[in-house]
Amino acid sequence: MPNSPSEQPRRIAMQRRGPLLVEGPVEVELEDGTTVSSDRFRVALCTCRRSRRYPWCDTSHRDRA
């Protein structure tokens, strides 16, 4: 049951100029209503929308030489 008293809250780490790191597993609902999921222990969510794997971060936000 979601939000039950025994369930620990999800931890989200914010990084300046980087992705949101979320302790998984997670389900993400996109703008169009579709849902994507990951069962990894930690996922990086893209905040800049440059990722080719959006909503998952692929480090496209980094400056490239």
Side-chain angles (χ1 to χ4, degrees), residues 11-22 47:
R11 181 175 301 269
I12 300 173
M14 299 179 71
Q15 299 181 356
R16 185 186 312 256
R17 294 172 41 184
L20 291 176
L21 300 177
V22 182
T47 59

Side-chain angles (χ1 to χ4, degrees), residues 1-49:
M1 172 187 223
N3 299 323
S4 67
S6 62
E7 185 177 306
Q8 293 293 323
R10 295 272 183 235
R11 181 175 301 269
I12 300 173
M14 299 179 71
Q15 299 181 356
R16 185 186 312 256
R17 294 172 41 184
L20 291 176
L21 300 177
V22 182
E23 290 183 3
V26 299
E27 284 187 350
V28 178
E29 184 177 331
L30 302 176
E31 292 174 278
D32 64 3
T34 60
T35 302
V36 294
S37 60
S38 173
D39 60 356
R40 296 182 58 123
F41 70 94
R42 182 177 299 135
V43 295
L45 295 176
C46 178
T47 59
C48 69
R49 294 189 171 259

